[in-house]
Amino acid sequence: MSIRKYIFAAMMMITAAQTNAQTNDTTDIWKESELKEVTVVSGSSTRRMAGAVNGAVITRDELFKAACCNLGESFTTNPSVDVNYSDAATGAKQIKLLGLSGTYVQMLTENLPNFRGAAAPYSLGYVPGPWMKSIQVSKGSASVRNGYESITGQIDVEYLKPDDDEGLTVNLFGNTMSKFEANADANIHVNGPLATEVLAHYENDWGGHDRNHDGFIDMPKVRQYNLQNRWRSVGDHYIFHAGVGLLKEKREGGQTGHNVNTAVPYLINIETDRYEGYMKHAFVLNKEHGTNIAFMGNASMHEQDGYYGAKSYYVNQKNAYAQLMFETNFTKEHNLSAGVSFNHDYLHQRANGLLSWNSFTGELVDFSNHYLYMNHKENTPGVYAQYTYNKNERLILMAGIRVDDSNVYGTFITPRLHIKYMPSDLVSFRLSAGKGYRTPFAYAENSNLLASGRNLLVDEPLNQEEAWNYGVTMAWLIPLFDKTLKLNADYYYTDFKEQAVVDYEMDLSRIIIHNLKGKSYSHTFQIDATYPVFKGMTVTAAYRLNDVKCAYGKENKLMTKPLTSRYKGLLTASYKTPLGLWQFDATLQFNGGGRLPTPAVDSNGQEMWPSNFHSYEQLSAQITRWFRNFSIYIGGENLTSFKQKNPIVNAHDPWSDKFDATMVWGPVQGAMGYIGIRINVGRL
């Protein structure tokens, strides 16, 4: 079936219901707590963020438009964020924002930095979809209050709150790839303002399908247990949040056991144990002027033990973060936020099957038959101040600066500036400029690269990554046929001064991570439009163009970043019937082609993969039927059934240096169907 027929079928599915419904137009309605956390209080779908920072909020209603089993599957309808598999063996996923990998996006959970270092490769699967209340996506350099790590933007996850409507909700999900999920959230209002909730998640992906018959299962079998207990109390002068969580996950991949041409099968086994806790205390000193003092912090221990064929990597990361902040409004127009922060990271790492430099002799050491032990300890105290000028929401200026001191990298300064100007209710402009820094955890963040026959070599010591980000955004509200067309356009430029470069070009027998030795930058242009076509139906169209280049190879040649699409197109349509009983959603993605790393050659001198990958389309659709206390949803993903033909290079000989599971640029699975039910049990 041609792509035109798929598009036609999706649109017919959406428009097949009644057309005389009332338009559900969303507006920017916001509320800030004394902790200055943005909270959605009404509305639905995706909305632009208020204030000087450019971004959008993906609300719970928007998340319900797709399966959204976890955070990594929550950006289907978002034109700014891409989520791709990092390899075809471990199931690691990474976000791409402004054309750059997710390590340059600061991950937050309720305004606290989270999922850093060792947690990064699989963190998108650590937040179940039914637990989330909203996701705030900001582009470019963000506020200095959250630290210095945001380079291309921030993604902040807001969980369901303990003081939400009391009751129990259950979500059950299954798909045609032999995956089952069960989720539950229950909250109780204990006494007065004090409330507690329990969030529980279980998933089991036991399929082990090998639909391309290369001897490797298409996606690893994953079993995960995830549990959180959260507490909250909101009073007139004191606000308290606290919670603890634990996660246990096991991933099994590799050769299927049948169709194995090797004496010993190539297997992947990754076990993860994660424990975390957080707390927030806010003391409201003057409600009229918004004067408050807040202390917040979190801590986590992330232990991961992985085996990739004959290679292994173990990491135990302990992280602690604390922040003390003061905020006040001198007048209605002038706001000051200032504070101090402290971040601690300790990583204990053990690996074999790697190459490493001997720092004394300058020679390479092969750790194929014995272990390499690596420890990293970093303490970073910091201080910041941020001033905001707000003239009747027409002109907003936010300027911030922070100074941090790392025991590893020394003292560094992070300036950031955001300006928003609205000459009228129909037009707004934003400008931003800022710097970002981050510590590269070379092995922890790239452990999935061990699923390759190439030797992994880190050219240490790696410098602290450093980049400037500049952005300009324009937004229009255009009256059109008695409705409003929402049009947005933005351009961002990211310029790296220091970067940890993952280089496939330096040596075709190795993957080398080294310091930047030339230029590295990203140009990104995006335009998107949303329009209520008729009553109850809204359509969004978007287009993004990426120009991402970096210096690679022995000659430090400026080349297009490999495995990155040159463009992305997005078309979404959503229709809800007048009484809200039925909802129809469809999303069509156009993914542009791009460059692949320089091909290796086989024993006959033939290139083992092409130099470029081509464009492809993906279609997803869902139908939801709402009842009084439950809803049923059924849908499909990748309905165009496109998949990369050979995501694993040289799969028949996984023990050779020509084996590589990291050359992934497209879907590794074909069409998938799913069904689920959400049940609101009510008060306990």
Side-chain angles (χ1 to χ4, degrees), residues 345-349 374-378 408-409 439-441:
D345 278 307
Y346 177 76
L347 282 79
H348 172 67
Q349 304 169 94
M374 302 161 287
N375 292 324
H376 175 89
K377 183 178 181 180
E378 184 177 6
V408 177
Y409 300 106
T439 297
F441 301 103

Side-chain angles (χ1 to χ4, degrees), residues 472-520:
V472 56
T473 303
M474 293 167 282
W476 300 267
L477 299 177
I478 303 174
L480 185 65
F481 302 117
D482 297 324
K483 300 179 180 66
T484 301
L485 171 67
K486 299 179 181 180
L487 184 64
N488 302 280
D490 58 52
Y491 163 77
Y492 283 90
Y493 171 58
T494 307
D495 181 25
F496 283 91
K497 304 303 179 183
E498 296 285 352
Q499 187 178 19
V501 178
V502 179
D503 197 335
Y504 286 84
E505 316 292 339
M506 185 80 71
D507 187 333
L508 297 186
S509 66
R510 299 170 182 165
I511 302 175
I512 302 176
I513 302 177
H514 59 79
N515 290 313
L516 179 65
K517 299 176 182 178
K519 292 184 178 181
S520 179

Side-chain angles (χ1 to χ4, degrees), residues 94-201:
Q94 67 170 336
I95 279 178
K96 287 188 177 180
L97 183 63
L98 305 187
L100 295 167
S101 64
T103 53
Y104 303 112
V105 182
Q106 186 179 27
M107 299 296 297
L108 305 169
T109 53
E110 299 188 328
N111 249 13
L112 287 168
N114 207 346
F115 302 129
R116 305 169 64 256
Y122 309 101
S123 61
L124 296 180
Y126 295 161
V127 183
W131 290 12
M132 295 186 291
K133 191 168 187 175
S134 66
I135 307 171
Q136 300 163 27
V137 180
S138 62
K139 300 170 73 172
S141 60
S143 168
V144 295
R145 289 185 303 182
N146 298 121
Y148 50 84
E149 292 185 315
S150 171
I151 293 179
T152 60
Q154 289 180 338
I155 293 179
D156 186 15
V157 176
E158 288 286 334
Y159 289 100
L160 299 173
K161 306 302 181 186
D163 52 350
D164 287 340
D165 292 339
E166 192 172 24
L168 168 66
T169 302
V170 177
N171 183 310
L172 303 176
F173 168 91
N175 68 23
T176 56
M177 298 295 181
S178 306
K179 179 179 181 179
F180 170 77
E181 284 194 12
N183 299 275
D185 60 89
N187 61 338
I188 299 175
H189 298 178
V190 180
N191 185 17
L194 182 63
T196 184
E197 75 176 340
V198 174
L199 303 174
H201 169 81

Side-chain angles (χ1 to χ4, degrees), residues 214-231:
D214 64 355
F216 279 74
I217 63 175
D218 298 330
M219 290 302 301
K221 295 181 285 186
V222 179
R223 178 177 294 178
Q224 184 188 111
Y225 304 88
N226 203 339
L227 185 67
Q228 285 197 19
N229 178 218
R230 306 165 66 83
W231 295 77

Side-chain angles (χ1 to χ4, degrees), residues 442-462:
Y443 294 104
E445 294 172 340
N446 298 283
S447 58
N448 62 291
L449 295 181
L450 295 175
S452 171
R454 296 191 185 194
N455 289 313
L456 177 62
L457 171 63
V458 178
D459 190 3
E460 296 183 298
L462 293 175

Side-chain angles (χ1 to χ4, degrees), residues 28 137 161 163 282 297 300 316 319 325 374 440 509 539 591 599 641:
D28 290 324
V137 180
K161 306 302 181 186
D163 52 350
S300 64
N316 188 335
N319 170 259
M325 63 177 289
M374 302 161 287
S509 66
V539 173
N591 300 278
S641 199

